Amino acid sequence: MKLHLPFWLSCALALAVSCAALAARAEGVADARQNELNYLVRQDCGSCHGMTLKGGLGKPLIPATFDGVEPEAIAEVILDGISGTPMPPWRGLLSEADALWIAENLKAGTIK
Amino acid sequence: MTLLRFVAILIVWFVTPIGAVNAAELRGTGDLGVIIERADGSVCIIATTRHEKLSCVGGFGDLSHASAVFSRDERYAYIFGRDGGLTKLDLLERKIAKRILQAGNSIGGAISDDGTLVAVSNYKPGGIKVFDSESLDLVADIPAIYGSDGARSKTVGLVDAPGRRFVFTLYDAGEIWMADFSKSGNPVISKLGKTGSQPYDALITGDGRHYIAGLFGEDGLAHVDLWNAKPHTERILENYGKGEQKLPVYKMPHLEGWALAGGQFILPGVGHHELLAVDAKTFKQTGSVKVHGQPVFAVSRPDGRQVWVNFAHPLNDTIQVVDIPTLKIIHEFKPGPAALHMEFAPRGHEVWLSVRDSNEVQIYDTRTFEKRATISIRKPSGIFFSARAHRLGL
């Protein structure tokens, strides 16, 4: 439930249609998978972005970094990486729903 | 005098001298080490011969990517945290002797050959800071300013070099710098040249001669021969990786520990499931070894006969052992998910291995590959033995 409030807040700024689609996909992430994703973000994204997500070789993954950026755009970066930089594409290891769930929770600062 | 009193006196006479020596408190530090408990911000002190956890000490802040160096007398460990914390841990008293927050975001450090200076590499603000190893008072602040607009680069690959010098690499600028503290007064900073794009880490060989930086943004490596009268950066292995599709890299490889094994450097193929063997004299590639995944650490056993390799996510549950003379994989096993760090006993008879997700450190015999012991440690990452105090570049 926690992730829905900030998510809907951000959705208020975006098109209702695409939000409904996002919500449907993010809701597809089961509780057990959410635990795994929290863990993966701290441990595996953390190896480049810091375990507290305050930055390392990669930028801080804190709400301020994502000011005015849609979760969908963040999810795209996670899935496709940023070529020419060490940010790797996670497609294949993370589903679109996973990436979106991570994006929303990074933006909201609710990664556990 | 009754017999009883006589016996009592006898007992006191025998017992007192032993008690006065206080045998329980006497301990050498050469057998000790530290293990980072990454999630708790604590550091465990271990006695390595007996595979014993002595005590875990808290209060170290954010220890993701933490590392340690040791004082010359092996009494103190200096722990470098991610949050800019520099903490001096007393291995005998088992408590923090001093702790400072010296930057916002850091990545490792080094101690000078004479043991008097501790240097820290910082991402934010980018540059290195150098402290008195006794007091942790600031000795020098060296901002990594590059370009014309005063931008500061993250620094990586900070090592100690003989002659009270430190060598480090500017990630954003793609340059190698040296800070020379051999003369009194301000350090002499020299720029040793351009590396190529995104140098992400570096190593120095145990003889203090070769400094090698790995490049993320392009093929090849950057090399400085510190024995040269005018040390400067040259590219080596220019063609490595060209024309081949690179795989995504989920964890940056570490270069420390790669170093020399049997006259060759064993280096990671960034974005490849491969190690390269490079002749240590000519810097020509002499061979390669296909391995299980993208290598993160490949640490040579102190005698250089074997290299033990671990891998990036999602293949980080596996360890492979490479025999150096034949460049063949002679052993493979699965200690468990997130086998992150390895540390060899000083002469290599055992290796200690952090298995983060099962909250344990496993100890193996490096000849029979048998598991000798398991110690429970919460979310273990780096393991550092005090014997590092007497090795260059560690």
Side-chain angles (χ1 to χ4, degrees):
Chain A
M1 290 309 286
K2 274 158 242 112
L3 66 128
H4 289 209
L5 182 69
F7 170 64
W8 285 112
L9 273 178
S10 73
C11 279
L13 305 166
L15 287 172
V17 182
S18 76
C19 275
L22 283 178
R25 277 186 281 151
E27 246 145 44
V29 180
D31 283 357
R33 182 62 179 161
Q34 294 188 11
N35 288 339
E36 284 172 21
L37 293 179
N38 273 313
Y39 194 73
L40 174 124
V41 171
R42 295 247 172 237
Q43 305 298 336
D44 295 304
C45 310
S47 70
C48 288
H49 292 278
M51 198 176 61
T52 55
L53 307 179
K54 286 185 197 138
L57 196 66
K59 291 180 188 166
L61 298 181
I62 53 177
T65 304
F66 304 114
D67 228 18
V69 185
E70 288 304 319
E72 259 194 333
I74 305 169
E76 214 159 281
V77 170
I78 296 171
L79 290 170
D80 295 334
I82 306 175
S83 73
T85 82
M87 174 63 191
W90 291 79
R91 201 183 290 282
L93 296 175
L94 296 173
S95 69
E96 287 190 5
D98 289 341
L100 192 60
W101 185 91
I102 292 173
E104 286 166 359
N105 285 278
L106 287 176
K107 189 172 162 71
T110 49
I111 292 290
K112 280 199 232 76
Chain B
M1 186 191 292
T2 63
L3 181 64
L4 204 67
R5 244 184 106 183
F6 177 70
V7 170
I9 287 169
L10 213 65
I11 288 172
V12 169
W13 187 75
F14 269 116
V15 167
T16 306
I18 297 169
V21 173
N22 205 352
E25 296 302 317
L26 262 189
R27 179 187 281 286
T29 51
D31 190 45
L32 301 183
V34 296
I35 302 179
I36 308 292
E37 283 189 318
R38 184 162 106 138
D40 294 346
S42 49
V43 173
C44 298
I45 301 168
I46 45 170
T48 58
T49 301
R50 292 213 210 129
H51 307 152
E52 215 180 330
K53 178 166 81 177
L54 299 177
S55 172
C56 297
V57 182
F60 288 80
D62 180 356
L63 289 180
S64 45
H65 227 296
S67 59
V69 298
F70 293 88
S71 63
R72 257 178 82 181
D73 62 6
E74 298 187 351
R75 173 160 181 185
Y76 300 99
Y78 299 88
I79 314 285
F80 307 103
R82 183 26 100 34
D83 56 4
L86 167 59
T87 313
K88 184 175 176 181
L89 171 66
D90 186 329
L91 300 176
L92 287 177
E93 303 244 18
R94 302 179 194 171
K95 63 175 200 217
I96 290 175
K98 185 133 200 192
R99 173 172 165 79
I100 57 170
L101 269 178
Q102 53 83 42
N105 198 320
S106 343
I107 186 79
I111 187 161
S112 60
D113 56 357
D114 66 351
T116 61
L117 300 172
V118 173
V120 194
S121 171
N122 292 321
Y123 279 166
K124 212 198 250 160
I128 71 166
K129 280 190 180 172
V130 182
F131 300 89
D132 180 285
S133 63
E134 236 165 73
S135 61
L136 299 192
D137 289 344
L138 184 71
V139 172
D141 182 357
I142 305 170
I145 294 173
Y146 70 104
S148 49
D149 60 353
R152 290 177 76 152
S153 171
K154 299 185 182 91
T155 54
V156 297
L158 168 62
V159 302
D160 57 287
R164 237 178 165 228
R165 294 177 300 174
F166 294 106
V167 184
F168 54 100
T169 296
L170 281 63
Y171 170 80
D172 304 283
E175 289 175 12
I176 296 174
W177 290 15
M178 181 162 70
D180 184 339
F181 289 82
S182 61
K183 305 202 172 59
S184 61
N186 287 336
V188 178
I189 314 292
S190 34
K191 300 183 181 179
L192 306 184
K194 290 278 184 194
T195 57
S197 159
Q198 294 167 352
Y200 60 90
D201 194 13
L203 65 80
I204 188 166
T205 49
D207 58 8
R209 175 167 186 179
H210 302 287
Y211 181 81
I212 298 175
L215 302 180
F216 194 87
E218 54 189 291
D219 294 325
L221 297 160
H223 167 244
V224 178
D225 181 353
L226 293 165
W227 286 9
N228 198 304
K230 281 204 165 55
H232 58 276
T233 305
E234 276 169 355
R235 288 286 283 278
I236 54 172
L237 289 172
E238 286 274 11
N239 293 320
Y240 177 68
K242 280 227 170 84
E244 286 176 50
Q245 181 66 40
K246 279 189 189 165
L247 307 167
V249 176
Y250 295 107
K251 186 152 172 38
M252 300 299 259
H254 287 254
L255 290 179
E256 184 208 295
W258 291 84
L260 271 175
Q264 321 176 74
F265 292 105
I266 305 296
L267 298 165
V270 182
H272 296 266
H273 291 189
E274 195 173 44
L275 303 176
L276 341 183
V278 176
D279 184 285
K281 284 210 181 76
T282 62
F283 294 105
K284 296 276 179 280
Q285 188 175 338
T286 50
S288 66
V289 190
K290 289 266 177 261
V291 289
H292 178 66
Q294 291 180 23
V296 174
F297 279 102
V299 193
S300 68
R301 200 171 68 179
D303 64 353
R305 174 77 202 257
Q306 295 175 349
V307 167
W308 290 51
V309 194
N310 70 351
F311 303 98
H313 178 96
L315 300 174
N316 60 11
D317 62 341
T318 302
I319 301 287
Q320 286 183 321
V321 181
V322 180
D323 177 57
I324 292 307
T326 58
L327 289 183
K328 290 243 156 45
I329 291 166
I330 51 167
H331 186 59
E332 174 177 328
F333 64 106
K334 290 194 190 299
L340 296 184
H341 285 261
M342 293 170 280
E343 178 85 342
F344 285 94
R347 298 198 207 168
H349 75 296
E350 282 177 352
V351 66
W352 291 44
L353 177 62
S354 291
V355 189
R356 185 191 67 202
D357 292 357
S358 41
N359 294 304
E360 60 190 35
V361 167
Q362 302 174 0
I363 301 161
Y364 291 87
D365 184 306
T366 62
R367 265 163 232 288
T368 62
F369 304 120
E370 267 162 44
K371 198 198 282 182
R372 286 269 184 87
T374 300
I375 299 178
S376 71
I377 302 272
R378 283 169 49 85
K379 297 274 173 290
S381 62
I383 306 175
F384 306 92
F385 290 177
S386 62
R388 286 173 173 250
H390 304 295
R391 288 176 59 197
L392 219 141
L394 290 183

